Amino acid sequence: MCGPDTPSSTPRIGARVDFFSSPSSSRDRHLLGNLLFLNPSTPNSQEATHFSFISPSTSPSIPTTPTTLFSRASVAGGRDSPDSSNSELDDRVIVFIHQIGDMTKSVRECGLLKQFTLNEKTCQMCALNESLSISVGQDGIIGRRVSMMRGGVVLGDGIVGYNC
């Protein structure tokens, strides 16, 4: 999660997951955006109280803003949701934090730790319903797989890491 690819305007606090599109082949994957988990009132806190979705700024051929992400969602990935039976007509983007971080397994096999809705109109900085531990193990989110889904379709996924 560390490194020069992080724009200088991206805060270096909390935890971060880079969402890459679900591929039809490994060459088709591209960055959809970053999801930051943080505590804006106490930046060095190990408890995230808020999240923020940030679109990539360096991909002119694939413009991804929250609005375009949501409109492209139904064609971006393959079917593989924890419960797609009730979500086929659902336009909400749901973020799933899985129990394990194994990207070789289907999302069904990764279990569910937490979930929340990513709202395109309010995704600049949103409060979480409950705080998340920015740590490894137990209830911590570091090292866990995170999937973004819409209507039972996996849009993208990644692994949570420290945002240093």
Side-chain angles (χ1 to χ4, degrees):
M1 300 283 99
C2 305
D5 294 334
T6 303
S8 60
S9 61
T10 302
R12 296 228 185 224
I13 56 175
R16 169 179 157 178
V17 60
D18 292 339
F19 282 110
F20 288 89
S21 61
S22 294
S24 54
S25 75
S26 60
R27 293 177 24 172
D28 293 339
R29 288 183 67 100
H30 61 273
L31 181 66
L32 295 175
N34 316 106
L35 189 62
L36 300 177
F37 297 99
L38 63 147
N39 185 331
S41 62
T42 312
N44 293 328
S45 174
Q46 292 298 300
E47 294 291 319
T49 58
H50 290 72
F51 68 91
S52 177
F53 182 81
I54 299 172
S55 299
S57 60
T58 58
S59 186
S61 63
I62 306 170
T64 304
T65 64
T67 303
T68 59
L69 170 66
F70 287 76
S71 64
R72 293 186 311 156
S74 61
V75 296
R79 297 197 179 280
D80 192 7
S81 78
D83 182 14
S84 61
S85 60
N86 293 329
S87 61
E88 291 298 322
L89 301 175
D90 196 348
D91 286 338
R92 298 173 303 157
V93 172
I94 308 294
V95 174
F96 295 92
I97 302 174
H98 301 283
Q99 292 175 332
I100 62 173
D102 190 341
M103 297 291 285
T104 65
K105 296 182 183 263
S106 73
V107 295
R108 284 182 189 263
E109 295 175 280
C110 291
L112 178 63
L113 181 70
K114 304 281 183 185
Q115 76 180 50
F116 57 90
T117 302
L118 181 62
N119 184 331
E120 73 176 291
K121 303 207 184 324
T122 60
C123 65
Q124 295 299 324
M125 180 67 68
C126 299
L128 291 160
N129 288 336
E130 59 182 283
S131 65
L132 298 173
S133 175
I134 302 174
S135 64
V136 177
Q138 306 242 331
D139 289 334
I141 61 172
I142 300 298
R144 300 203 190 261
R145 182 178 182 175
V146 180
S147 299
M148 191 167 39
M149 298 182 201
R150 177 177 176 227
V153 176
V154 178
L155 307 176
D157 52 12
I159 302 289
V160 181
Y162 289 105
N163 188 35
C164 54

